[in-house]
Amino acid sequence: MSAALFDLSGRTALITGSTRGIGKALARGLGAAGARVIISARDREQTSAVAASLRDEGILAHDCPFDVTDTEQVVRAVATCEAGFGPIDILVNNAGIQRRGPLLDLDPADWRAVMSTNLDAVFAVSREVARAMIPRGRGKIISIASLMSEVARPGTAPYAAAKGGVKMLTRAMCVEWAVHGLQVNAIGPGYFATELTAALVADPAFDAWIRGRTPAGRWGRVEDLVGAAVFLASGASDFVNGQTLYVDGGVLAGL
Ligand code: NDP
């Protein structure tokens, strides 16, 4: 009974930014829970290679490359996925970038790039998928926020602003779409060692600071996020809506 609550067999999940890092781990995790997964990012060779490697692991995997910041590509990709792989039951908005630097010197192009990928795209992709989900009366939308939806660090202004926006957009989508049977939630990861954070992991002072600042005493491993994603993608969360679930080893619990 309890395992059935988390079973994703027969469900199709589109995961943006799933050629590496957190997105790839979530695709593998949702696939292991039974879902058919659609791997997506901008690089066609990488999406195809990652889908093939997941198929080798016994997961039902396809790929659909597109740029989440290009609305025309978004519209085309959602239609292609629905026609080719079946109705999208689960959307994971995971694609994201980071541009670090002091706010006083920040190039407006960097501000725009981060907002466009990390916030505008969550709106564009979610709306396009919701337009297909709503007539079916069900769907799960999960966006990857961040502990920076709550707190900032020097040099992270556009990222923190965008991720704070993802938290509120999650609530806004919930209040409009829950009545149509959709659950719209977010996951807020703490610090995870991926390509996005490679410079921080390589910095001994930052590495030591993170270990000291995190009650769990370590960086997150991408697999640590799978349980939250399977929960929010499955029937187990059918009355959970508008929430951001922080998976951060306890960082936000303390000063
Ligand atoms: P990575 O840099 O390892 O992976 C990012 C993925 O997004 C890649 O697959 C990349 O592929 C894709 N991507 C980037 N831009 C676009 C675009 N315009 N269109 C489509 N795909 C795109 O990042 P992480 O795995 O570390 O991060 C994933 C998410 O988790 C992000 O939203 C990030 O903000 C969030 N997060 C990460 C944390 C961490 O500590 N690592 C902490 C909190 C949140 P390609 O470039 O080929 O398109």
Side-chain angles (χ1 to χ4, degrees):
M1 166 61 189
S2 60
L5 268 180
F6 297 92
D7 184 13
L8 300 179
S9 303
R11 299 292 152 105
T12 297
L14 168 63
I15 304 103
T16 68
S18 44
T19 48
R20 58 176 190 257
I22 290 172
K24 184 177 173 186
L26 296 185
R28 178 182 276 124
L30 296 178
R36 174 188 298 271
V37 298
I38 306 170
I39 301 301
S40 187
R42 288 168 295 187
D43 185 316
R44 179 176 295 274
E45 275 180 28
Q46 285 182 24
T47 59
S48 156
V50 170
S53 76
L54 292 183
R55 281 196 295 275
D56 287 345
E57 296 174 24
I59 289 169
L60 272 170
H62 309 276
D63 73 301
C64 180
F66 67 98
D67 184 336
V68 295
T69 66
D70 180 330
T71 309
E72 276 178 28
Q73 286 189 38
V74 169
V75 171
R76 232 185 358 253
V78 171
T80 303
C81 289
E82 290 252 326
F85 314 128
I88 299 169
D89 303 293
I90 301 156
L91 166 66
V92 182
N93 288 305
N94 167 81
I97 60 169
Q98 170 67 292
R99 301 275 167 88
R100 295 185 185 87
L103 190 46
L104 281 178
D105 303 326
L106 191 73
D107 184 336
D110 285 334
W111 173 274
R112 188 82 305 277
V114 173
M115 296 305 281
S116 164
T117 309
N118 294 11
L119 181 57
D120 300 358
V122 176
F123 156 66
V125 181
S126 300
R127 183 173 70 168
E128 200 53 32
V129 171
R131 283 175 168 157
M133 287 174 165
I134 284 170
R136 298 194 283 263
R138 71 167 207 218
K140 301 272 186 182
I141 297 178
I142 305 163
S143 300
I144 306 304
S146 166
L147 59 78
M148 290 203 180
S149 301
E150 299 293 338
V151 293
R153 273 178 44 78
T156 63
Y159 189 86
K163 293 297 187 180
V166 169
K167 179 181 77 171
M168 284 312 300
L169 179 57
T170 296
R171 291 178 176 164
M173 292 190 286
C174 162
V175 299
E176 294 205 23
W177 299 341
V179 71
H180 299 294
L182 274 57
Q183 287 84 51
V184 188
N185 292 290
I187 295 172
Y191 279 92
F192 283 71
T194 68
E195 206 163 294
L196 193 84
T197 51
L200 305 179
V201 177
D203 176 348
F206 193 90
D207 175 62
W209 179 78
I210 278 296
R211 289 172 193 276
R213 177 67 184 78
T214 305
R218 64 167 175 86
W219 288 78
R221 295 184 276 264
V222 290
E223 300 76 24
D224 289 326
L225 295 163
V226 169
V230 170
F231 168 60
L232 292 176
S234 69
S237 60
D238 276 354
F239 202 53
V240 178
N241 230 325
Q243 299 297 312
T244 297
L245 174 54
Y246 292 97
V247 180
D248 67 351
V251 174
L252 289 174
L255 265 179

